[in-house]
C-alpha cells in the first residue's frame, strides 16, 4: 500500500483595520494574515496542525506576529 502525506501552509487574508504602526508610528491601514499548517493525505487537507497570525503595516511593510488573543481583540 502507498500513502502520500505531507504538510501544507495555507495563507488566508483576514479583515484589516487602521492602527498605529509599532515601527514607523503612522496611523495607517494594517493587513492581517492567518497562516494555517495542514496535514494532507493524498494532497487533500485532513486537519490543521497549527495556526499563526501576522499583521503588516501598509506604510513601511513592517511584519509582526500576533497571538490568538491579540487577533481576537483586533477583529472583534
Amino acid at each position: 500500500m502507498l500513502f502520500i502525506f505531507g504538510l501544507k501552509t495555507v495563507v488566508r487574508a483576514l479583515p484589516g483595520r487602521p492602527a498605529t504602526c509599532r515601527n514607523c508610528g503612522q496611523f495607517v491601514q494594517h493587513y492581517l494574515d492567518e497562516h494555517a499548517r495542514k496535514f494532507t493525505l493524498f494532497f487533500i487537507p485532513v486537519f490543521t496542525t497549527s495556526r499563526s497570525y501576522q499583521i503588516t503595516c501598509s506604510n513601511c511593510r513592517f511584519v509582526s506576529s500576533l497571538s490568538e488573543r491579540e487577533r481576537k481583540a483586533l477583529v472583534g
Side-chain angles (χ1 to χ4, degrees):
M1 229 189 258
L2 177 68
F3 288 105
I4 300 173
F5 62 92
L7 294 172
K8 175 182 179 180
T9 301
V10 178
V11 179
R12 185 174 67 145
L14 299 174
R17 64 181 285 202
T20 303
C21 179
R22 298 178 189 175
N23 188 44
C24 66
Q26 298 293 317
F27 186 76
V28 293
Q29 181 71 22
H30 283 67
Y31 303 106
L32 184 61
D33 293 324
E34 174 189 53
H35 297 260
R37 191 123 169 117
K38 299 183 181 265
F39 176 80
T40 61
L41 184 62
F42 295 107
F43 305 104
I44 300 170
V46 179
F47 59 88
T48 302
T49 59
S50 67
R51 292 181 199 269
S52 64
Y53 301 94
Q54 292 181 337
I55 190 163
T56 305
C57 174
S58 64
N59 185 44
C60 66
R61 302 288 181 217
F62 179 72
V63 178
S64 59
S65 297
L66 294 176
S67 67
E68 176 70 24
R69 195 171 101 195
E70 291 172 323
R71 186 212 46 102
K72 285 183 181 178
L74 279 176
V75 175

